[in-house]
Amino acid sequence: MVSSPHEAMHRIFQEYPGLFSRVSEVLGVDIPPPTSATVLPTDLTEAKPVERRVDTLLRIETETDGPFLLAIEAQGKKDRRKTTSWPYYVSYLHNRYDGVPVLLLVICQDLATAEWAARPFTIGLRQWPTLTLNPLVAGPHNMPVITDVAEARKDLALATLAAITHADNPDVGAILKTLSAALREAPETIAEPIVELTAQGLGNRPAAQQWRNLVAVDTSFYKSFMSEEIRDEGRAQGRAQGQAEGLLLILQARGIALTDETREKINTCTDPQLLHRWLTRAATATTTEDVFTEDH
């Protein structure tokens, strides 16, 4: 099953086709400035063979070197099947589009996968490879760590891709805070896809909740399905935290001793209805058992 980070890592190029121009600069590849970029069909299936699809496919026109095809693959882990499918993609596209040059870009979120994807893929004999494929790889090893708001504002698409590729970076909190701050003055039409692509790219990592909390505060000026969902979650968490703090104060005022385990149980509860029940019982309770007994 395709994961949400997988979708975000290549779909961002569909949303911002010009992004590759900046990514190629970051990766040290000298490609002429693009004059246009067109999203092409991703289906690489022939009449009889099994279905094959590249994640994203763009046709990019350049100022001086003519057009080229950019095939983008989001790769979450090592997969030996790619040693045959990726060369197929490139050779098929080269043939289908009348010899237009093809470049394969692989986006990764972990170093091990990036190192694996960056090695040459060969077809042929050990003594004489018939075909060698050299993917261009973007990942946590070479994408910038952007923690300067001004830098992020200069190129929000690149800042978004960089944040997604650094989803497991220990400093991801600072990276996401920078991105959310950079969106504060951005128009809704610009901010909305950035917010949603970032949330999608972080998947179910702990950083995803950090992003939701930041968005609930920093981008409250506009509405979208996901942003409203994020803000609703933030408000629910705020209510739960307030209820937990109130419960602790009531128990303390009534002179009821609390163990560390009980405090943790209260502080980590995110169910407003359950916290409300505890608060109601705490008003007349004489022991902690009176508060929690019906929930065991």
Side-chain angles (χ1 to χ4, degrees), residues 246-251 254 256 275-287 290-292:
L247 177 57
L248 291 172
L249 285 173
I250 291 175
L251 294 174
R254 295 185 59 79
I256 298 175
L275 284 164
H276 180 74
R277 289 202 301 271
W278 290 348
L279 276 166
T280 301
R281 296 174 196 161
T284 57
T286 56
T287 66
D290 295 335
V291 178
F292 303 115

Side-chain angles (χ1 to χ4, degrees), residues 163-182:
I164 291 172
T165 57
H166 287 290
D168 294 320
N169 190 306
D171 295 325
V172 68
I175 296 170
L176 295 177
K177 187 174 182 180
T178 299
L179 180 58
S180 66

Side-chain angles (χ1 to χ4, degrees), residues 145-178:
V145 175
I146 300 176
T147 55
D148 179 79
V149 176
E151 183 182 355
R153 282 196 182 119
K154 288 179 181 178
D155 197 329
L156 288 170
L158 180 63
T160 302
L161 181 63
I164 291 172
T165 57
H166 287 290
D168 294 320
N169 190 306
D171 295 325
V172 68
I175 296 170
L176 295 177
K177 187 174 182 180
T178 299

